[in-house]
Amino acid sequence: MVTCAGVAGSPDRLGSLLSSVNYFGTVEVLEGLRPLLAAGGGAAVAISSNSTTVQPDIPLALTKACLDGDEAAAAAVADEGTSMGAYAATKIAVAYWCARTPPGRSGPGRGCD
């Protein structure tokens, strides 16, 4: 499984949509797959985005709210700014979520194997 797509930032799009799909949706799919992957030897890859390396004014409070597992707070922060900033912040959050937890553990904030 490769979680690659997501929702792009757009001037007419709310940032909360991006936080819900790009971060919380990705995390939920990966957490749901964890037992199946562990049992069957499969693999999952979560891809962030190279746009996070060039995006100015990334709302890191959104990244933090995502990593805290607080979808309501993430939505509120995301909607304060642009969805362009929310895109980068949610993709950074996915990368940190995967990197910060040892393999084999599940639950909120427990990264990728």
Side-chain angles (χ1 to χ4, degrees), residues 51-65:
S51 69
T52 62
T53 64
V54 297
Q55 176 71 36
D57 302 320
I58 297 171
L60 295 179
L62 173 53
T63 300
K64 182 180 182 326

Side-chain angles (χ1 to χ4, degrees), residues 19-20 28 39 55 58-59 63-64 66 71 73 79 87 93 99 104 106:
S19 66
S20 290
E28 188 169 331
Q55 176 71 36
I58 297 171
T63 300
K64 182 180 182 326
C66 287
E71 190 167 359
D79 285 342
Y87 180 81
S106 62

Side-chain angles (χ1 to χ4, degrees), residues 7-10 12 16 29 49 52 55 65-66 92 96 98 107-108 110:
V7 179
S10 172
D12 61 341
S16 55
V29 167
S49 175
T52 62
Q55 176 71 36
C66 287
I92 290 169
Y96 273 97
C98 286
R110 306 277 187 324

Side-chain angles (χ1 to χ4, degrees), residues 7-104:
V7 179
S10 172
D12 61 341
R13 187 167 289 147
L14 290 173
S16 55
L17 176 64
L18 279 74
S19 66
S20 290
V21 172
N22 293 359
Y23 180 77
F24 290 99
T26 295
V27 168
E28 188 169 331
V29 167
L30 292 172
E31 286 289 350
L33 288 173
R34 187 182 296 274
L36 295 171
L37 294 170
V45 176
I47 296 176
S48 184
S49 175
N50 69 347
S51 69
T52 62
T53 64
V54 297
Q55 176 71 36
D57 302 320
I58 297 171
L60 295 179
L62 173 53
T63 300
K64 182 180 182 326
C66 287
L67 292 171
D68 287 345
D70 190 341
E71 190 167 359
V77 172
D79 285 342
E80 289 174 3
T82 68
S83 63
M84 302 302 282
Y87 180 81
T90 59
K91 294 297 186 166
I92 290 169
V94 167
Y96 273 97
W97 180 83
C98 286
R100 74 180 192 176
T101 303

